[in-house]
Amino acid sequence: MSKLLLPEIKEALALIKEGEIIQANEAFRRLFHLERLPVSFAKLFENLPEDFGLFETCAKRPDGTHFEAEVVFLPFENSLQQLLVRDVSERRATEKMWLQAERLTAMGKLAGEIAHEINNPLGGILLYANLLREDLPAESSLLTHVDKIIKLATRCRIIAKALLNFGHPEDSLEEWVNLNQVLREMFSLIEDHRLFREVHINWELEKGLPFVQGNRSQLEQLVLNLIINAGEAMQGRGNLFFRTKFDPKEEMIILEIEDTGPGIPPEIQDKIFDPFFTTKTGGKGTGLGLAICHGIVKRHRGEIEFESHPGRTLFRVKLPKIHLENE
Ligand SMILES: Nc1ncnc2c1ncn2[C@@H]1O[C@H](COP(=O)(O)OP(=O)(O)O)[C@@H](O)[C@H]1O
Ligand SMILES: [Mg+2]
């Protein structure tokens, strides 16, 4: 076969004759981990093109691995066919992540609007329930019912308030925030809670950590939500790690909160940031903690991710370092 058949091109390129790949450039061999030719064209792709043109499919390597591929299939001289293949797995994964982020932002916005609508009537319910309570004689058997209304309506108010906090786009993001200090202060607020009494705390805070650029009260809420989740997961026993460090390459401050709780089961891992997703029964969870964290981190142009397996869960937040005018 003439050498001229494969032009100098960086993309993975191959020639097909009667269903066999008879020539492939270096990029093609590398992409498919091919050791020798010819190989059957049909074996490399999940779906074969019915016509010439561009198509997307799953590409299968002879060694059993696969990737998402974009393929251009064209006629060539002497009734050969030409095949150009590109691995788009990474691009697809990024697109998926963006879609997920967009969905969460939209859900967060909607939740905030609903909370706004619910807040006023809820105030009314509480007001009238309290009036009723005052008017009932102390020995009335209806008192317990009224107390229940007040208790449940108060709970709704707390949820609505958390939802309203979602938005706050008007908050300034220009403060200089010392994340080490935020961590220490937020933990001191709850350390006496029974959830943390038998938990061993490991402080691994980097000295001289640069300031984060952002909104202090939002960052406090972020840290608090993550600490509470860790505490609830460990159910009062275990090891909790607070870690901060600076990544000079990305100019990001990294915060890690790690617990030795049961971990997040794989089947719910892509739902935990959704508003109202909770595994805590009996009214113990609102499912808003992580959705709020996600909103706060996005507003700060940061990132939030987690790693989890039984016995260990780590939430990692990356936040941008303060940007100085004269830098
Ligand atoms: N540190 C953790 N360990 C195990 N599971 C966790 C952890 N943090 C969050 N989760 C899971 O994610 C779910 C959602 O968390 P969150 O949004 O804070 O809502 P809530 O705490 O009200 O349930 C929790 O119900 C729990 O199943
Ligand atoms: Mg929570």
Side-chain angles (χ1 to χ4, degrees):
M1 196 63 50
S2 137
K3 275 193 186 136
L4 287 175
L5 285 178
L6 288 184
E8 287 293 317
I9 172 171
K10 284 207 188 88
E11 306 282 345
L13 189 67
L15 282 179
I16 303 168
K17 185 184 181 187
E18 290 155 11
E20 296 271 313
I21 294 188
I22 51 163
Q23 267 198 31
N25 67 357
E26 178 57 29
F28 193 97
R29 289 165 192 260
R30 230 182 306 126
L31 185 59
F32 282 92
H33 306 168
L34 287 183
E35 273 157 22
R36 52 181 172 271
L37 292 175
V39 288
S40 151
F41 173 44
K43 279 203 180 128
L44 296 186
F45 297 95
E46 201 147 78
N47 305 307
L48 290 178
E50 283 169 9
D51 218 334
F52 293 118
L54 175 75
F55 73 109
E56 285 185 25
T57 182
C58 175
K60 303 177 287 184
R61 299 188 178 97
D63 66 9
T65 59
H66 49 83
F67 61 91
E68 286 180 66
E70 217 169 62
V71 181
V72 180
F73 188 53
L74 293 173
F76 200 68
E77 53 199 43
N78 303 330
S79 69
L80 298 176
Q81 292 132 1
Q82 201 173 30
L83 189 68
L84 204 121
V85 184
R86 183 182 282 171
D87 179 354
V88 290
S89 310
E90 217 167 283
R91 196 166 82 205
R92 293 280 176 277
T94 318
E95 279 167 7
K96 211 174 129 201
M97 208 183 72
W98 274 109
L99 266 176
Q100 164 96 340
E102 247 170 54
R103 194 174 57 90
L104 285 177
T105 312
M107 279 170 93
K109 192 158 165 278
L110 182 67
E113 280 162 14
I114 293 172
H116 190 77
E117 294 298 323
I118 287 179
N119 214 23
N120 288 341
L122 260 183
I125 293 174
L126 272 171
L127 176 72
Y128 286 108
N130 275 305
L131 287 176
L132 192 59
R133 191 178 197 291
E134 279 167 26
D135 284 348
L136 282 176
E139 66 283 358
S140 169
S141 61
L142 295 176
L143 267 177
T144 53
H145 292 178
V146 178
D147 279 341
K148 276 219 173 94
I149 295 175
I150 294 176
K151 209 171 140 199
L152 293 171
T154 305
R155 185 169 149 67
C156 291
R157 263 268 279 259
I158 293 170
I159 296 176
K161 192 160 177 324
L163 280 173
L164 284 170
N165 280 340
F166 249 121
H168 272 320
E170 69 279 13
D171 277 357
S172 155
L173 293 174
E174 300 292 315
E175 291 168 8
W176 295 50
V177 186
N178 178 339
L179 212 57
N180 286 347
Q181 202 181 355
V182 168
L183 260 172
R184 279 195 221 95
E185 284 181 16
M186 288 304 107
F187 183 67
S188 74
L189 283 182
I190 47 170
E191 63 185 328
D192 294 329
H193 194 279
R194 59 175 174 76
L195 274 180
F196 295 95
R197 257 180 239 150
E198 283 175 54
V199 169
H200 185 256
I201 312 295
N202 304 271
W203 294 96
E204 299 171 15
L205 308 187
E206 185 166 296
K207 283 209 186 88
L209 191 72
F211 287 94
V212 169
Q213 169 141 11
N215 180 276
R216 180 160 177 130
S217 67
Q218 288 186 14
L219 293 174
E220 286 176 351
Q221 184 167 22
L222 165 78
V223 166
L224 198 57
N225 287 354
L226 294 177
I227 300 178
I228 291 174
N229 275 352
E232 287 175 338
M234 289 190 293
Q235 303 195 339
R237 203 157 298 212
N239 258 296
L240 186 56
F241 297 82
F242 294 128
R243 220 169 278 131
T244 56
K245 51 199 165 194
F246 178 58
D247 175 357
K249 222 167 63 207
E250 288 191 71
E251 299 228 302
M252 297 287 248
I253 285 113
I254 298 173
L255 155 75
E256 290 179 352
I257 296 183
E258 182 179 334
D259 67 66
T260 55
I264 306 171
E267 62 275 16
I268 66 162
Q269 290 196 354
D270 58 354
K271 298 201 198 81
I272 60 167
F273 289 106
D274 288 357
F276 303 113
F277 177 82
T278 180
T279 54
K280 295 163 194 169
T281 50
K284 285 199 211 96
T286 59
L288 291 174
L290 286 178
I292 289 172
C293 289
H294 183 269
I296 292 173
V297 171
K298 283 290 146 207
R299 236 170 290 135
H300 281 77
R301 295 176 198 284
E303 280 165 40
I304 181 163
E305 57 192 28
F306 65 93
E307 292 161 17
S308 184
H309 53 77
R312 179 176 168 276
T313 299
L314 184 153
F315 276 84
R316 182 181 300 114
V317 177
K318 297 183 189 175
L319 293 162
K321 172 187 138 174
I322 195 95
H323 183 75
L324 299 174
E325 289 285 307
N326 55 3
E327 261 183 348

